[in-house]
Amino acid sequence: MNTIKKLLCAALALLLLGAPALAEELPAFGVCIYDGTDTFMASLRLHLETYAHGKARLTVYDSRNDQNLQNDQVEGMLEAGADVLIINPVDRLAAGYLIEKARKRQTPVLFVNKEPLLEDLLLYEHAFYVGADGAQSGRLSGEILAEYFLAHPEANKNGDGTVQYVLIKGEPGHQDAELRTQNALKPLQEVGFRVEKLQEDTGMWRRQLGQEKMAGFLLAWGDQIECVIANNDEMALGAINALKGAGYFSGGRFMPVVGVDAISQAIEALRQGSLLGTVFNDGEQQAMAAVDLAILLAKGEEITADTYAYPISGERFVWIPYQRITREELTDP
C-alpha cells in the first residue's frame, strides 16, 4: 500500500474505531466528492452530512477532480472497513473499477451526481446510482424557452421562425451536460420553431468561464443571438454578467437565459428579471435517498416499498425528479 493509501486508511480507521461506544452501533459511510469547489456538490455534501447525523457516521473526502486520488481514497476506505461507499466519481467511466474493488470486499457502493454505465452497475448486486435524469432537466429548460418565444414573437428578432441560440456546456462527457444539451431544443422544435446553433463552448460548470464564453459569443454574433442555454446556473449567471456588460437587462433590452440547479443566486436573478428560468436539482432529496438506501444496505435489510420510500428503476437507479422554476412560479417571498 502506498503512503497516501496508508494515511487514508489510518485516518478513517481512527474515525471508525475511535468513536464512542454508542456511535459504534451506527453504520460507517465513506464518501468521496469529486470536486469540493463545485457549487452543487458542496450543497449535496452538506445535505448528506446533515441528513446522516444520528443515523450514520460519515467520513468525507474531496477527490479534487483527480481520479487517481479518488481511487486511493476508495481503497483506503475499504481497507478501514467502511460499511458502505457513497461516491461522486471524477470520471464516470472509472466506476467499473471502483465497483469491482467494492465487490471484492462485499461493500455496497452508491454513486451520486455522475451516472455510471449500466453495465458497470450490473457487475455487483449492491451497486446503485442515486441522482436526477439529465434529459428531464434539458426538456424543462427547453419548455421554458418555448413558452417564452410563443408568448413573445418579438424575441425572434429577425422574424424568420428560427431561434438562433448559443450554448454554454458543462463538463464534456458528464451525462448531465450531454443530456441537457441534447434535450433542451426539443420543446422549441415541437411547438414549430426551427433552431440554429450560432456557437457552443464549455464553461466547465464555472461562473467565470460562463462569463468569458458569453463575452466571446457577443463579440462574434452580437444581436444575432436570440437566447442563451446554459447547462447550469453558475454558467448562466456568468453569461448574465457578460450580457449586463453589453447593455442588456436595462433600457428594454432583454435576453432569455436559462440554467439548471436553482441555486440561491439564480433565484435572486429570477426575481430581478435577468434569468428567464431554471430547473431545481433537488440535492436534499438525493442525499436523503442515498443515506436511506445506504443504511438498508449496511444492515443487510431487504429493499422494498415498505422499507424504502423511493422507487428503484431497472433495479439500480433511484431518480429524483427535477422541477422547473420561472419568476411567475416562485412560491417563496
Side-chain angles (χ1 to χ4, degrees):
M1 188 186 304
N2 64 31
T3 302
I4 292 176
K5 292 178 188 174
K6 288 179 180 178
L7 291 172
L8 289 169
C9 185
L12 187 57
L14 284 172
L15 287 165
L16 299 187
L17 302 178
L22 182 60
E24 287 179 6
E25 300 176 6
L26 300 178
F29 298 164
V31 181
C32 280
I33 300 299
Y34 95 103
D35 182 358
T37 67
D38 179 82
T39 303
F40 178 74
M41 287 314 305
S43 173
L44 181 59
R45 172 179 179 167
L46 179 61
H47 287 310
L48 284 168
E49 292 172 334
T50 301
Y51 187 66
H53 182 71
K55 301 181 181 74
R57 286 173 287 140
L58 264 62
T59 303
V60 184
Y61 291 106
D62 182 351
S63 300
R64 301 198 294 273
N65 211 19
D66 183 336
Q67 187 61 57
N68 289 327
L69 174 60
Q70 185 169 82
N71 293 347
D72 288 342
Q73 291 169 338
V74 168
E75 290 189 33
M77 292 188 293
L78 289 169
E79 289 283 346
D83 294 310
V84 179
L85 301 179
I86 300 176
I87 303 174
N88 167 215
V90 175
D91 180 356
R92 64 190 292 248
L93 299 181
Y97 172 83
L98 301 177
I99 289 170
E100 187 60 23
K101 290 285 185 182
R103 186 191 66 79
K104 287 180 178 178
R105 291 272 184 173
Q106 287 298 291
T107 301
V109 55
L110 309 181
F111 292 88
V112 295
N113 185 248
K114 289 188 182 181
E115 179 188 338
L117 300 176
L118 175 59
E119 52 262 40
D120 288 337
L121 290 174
L122 293 175
L123 292 171
Y124 181 31
E125 63 179 338
H126 291 149
F128 295 86
Y129 176 70
V130 177
D133 181 1
Q136 183 192 32
S137 61
R139 281 200 62 88
L140 290 174
S141 61
E143 287 175 8
I144 293 170
L145 283 172
E147 291 172 8
Y148 178 81
F149 276 92
L150 285 174
H152 298 85
E154 72 282 2
N156 181 211
K157 299 174 186 177
N158 55 13
D160 64 354
T162 298
V163 175
Q164 279 85 18
Y165 71 95
V166 294
L167 191 143
I168 308 176
K169 192 173 183 179
E171 179 184 348
H174 191 301
Q175 84 284 344
D176 284 348
E178 302 300 333
L179 291 170
R180 289 170 187 174
T181 297
Q182 293 165 16
N183 288 274
L185 301 170
K186 292 179 181 178
L188 281 162
Q189 294 168 316
E190 289 167 359
V191 297
F193 289 102
R194 295 181 297 275
V195 294
E196 178 186 357
K197 180 171 66 179
L198 298 179
Q199 197 167 344
E200 172 186 321
D201 206 343
T202 179
M204 293 299 294
W205 309 120
R206 308 294 186 187
R207 189 177 308 191
Q208 183 59 40
L209 277 176
Q211 182 170 343
E212 292 171 6
K213 301 304 181 184
M214 189 67 222
F217 295 162
L218 286 166
L219 283 174
W221 300 101
D223 285 341
Q224 294 180 63
I225 301 170
E226 294 178 335
C227 72
V228 180
I229 300 170
N231 282 167
N232 80 339
D233 286 342
E234 286 288 349
M235 297 185 298
L237 292 169
I240 286 170
N241 288 339
L243 287 161
K244 285 180 177 178
Y248 284 88
F249 310 114
S250 65
R253 294 186 73 197
F254 180 75
M255 176 72 72
V257 180
V258 291
V260 177
D261 282 340
I263 63 174
S264 59
Q265 298 95 324
I267 298 302
E268 184 59 31
L270 281 176
R271 291 195 180 97
Q272 294 174 353
S274 55
L275 182 68
L276 178 65
T278 184
V279 182
F280 178 43
N281 192 3
D282 196 341
E284 182 175 12
Q285 283 295 320
Q286 290 174 43
M288 293 169 65
V291 170
D292 286 349
L293 181 55
I295 289 171
L296 290 173
L297 290 168
K299 294 180 177 180
E301 296 182 2
E302 188 177 2
I303 301 168
T304 68
D306 293 327
T307 61
Y308 189 55
Y310 302 86
I312 296 180
S313 303
E315 301 181 358
R316 290 292 186 272
F317 298 95
V318 179
W319 298 114
I320 305 301
Y322 285 98
Q323 301 172 47
R324 52 171 272 167
I325 305 176
T326 63
R327 189 178 186 181
E328 294 72 26
E329 292 164 341
L330 284 175
T331 56
D332 55 326

